[in-house]
Amino acid sequence: MSDYEKVCLIRGDQGRAIRTLLDRIADKWTLLVIATLHETRLRFTDLQRSVPGISQRMLSRTLGHLAEDGLVTRTSYPEVPPRVEYELTPKAHTLLPHAIALADWAVKNIEPASPGDDSTSQRP
């Protein structure tokens, strides 16, 4: 398939597929949570400790959205105290190679913001 045909596929649905994808994964925390759950199952507190800077509220919201999108499963065990674990679904595992490639590109091409810099994006 030529590059032109690929562009036409994106334009063919007026960009809906790519916008939906970006709405789901392009926030500040989603890919970090997905990467952290790669090849492991974690409890909420352990996951929060593993994702530097994420608040309890944001982790809860991110996990909720990932579960709604079918990318994370939440397993609750009837124990005292209750135990809840999160892990990636097979669907999420198909996203990982692409997410890793995107992260690799970002590390190679985007300058990190300097401490105290209020800008949220840097142009390559």
Side-chain angles (χ1 to χ4, degrees):
M1 178 180 293
S2 72
D3 288 341
Y4 178 75
E5 289 171 313
K6 290 177 186 175
V7 170
C8 288
L9 285 175
I10 292 170
R11 291 181 181 157
D13 72 348
Q14 289 78 44
R16 282 190 295 272
I18 194 70
R19 283 195 311 273
T20 299
L21 169 70
L22 291 174
D23 284 345
R24 293 174 200 257
I25 67 161
D27 67 45
K28 186 174 181 177
W29 303 110
T30 298
L31 288 179
L32 291 172
V33 170
I34 288 172
T36 302
L37 288 172
H38 176 61
E39 294 185 358
T40 191
R41 177 186 315 175
L42 291 172
R43 294 175 77 163
F44 186 92
T45 304
D46 296 328
L47 184 53
Q48 186 177 9
R49 283 188 202 123
S50 299
V51 180
I54 194 166
S55 69
Q56 182 176 346
R57 178 176 182 267
M58 285 311 301
L59 179 56
S60 181
R61 287 183 62 181
T62 300
L63 288 168
H65 291 140
L66 288 170
E68 287 172 11
D69 294 337
L71 299 173
V72 168
T73 58
R74 178 186 189 273
T75 305
S76 183
Y77 298 92
E79 300 173 352
V80 177
R83 178 171 55 112
V84 178
E85 294 179 337
Y86 298 89
E87 66 183 317
L88 297 181
T89 64
K91 181 178 177 180
H93 283 281
T94 65
L95 175 61
L96 282 169
H98 308 288
I100 290 166
L102 186 60
D104 186 46
W105 183 90
V107 167
K108 290 177 182 173
N109 293 285
I110 298 177
E111 290 287 324
S114 51
D117 187 357
D118 287 341
S119 65
T120 56
S121 65
Q122 299 287 322
R123 292 206 164 253

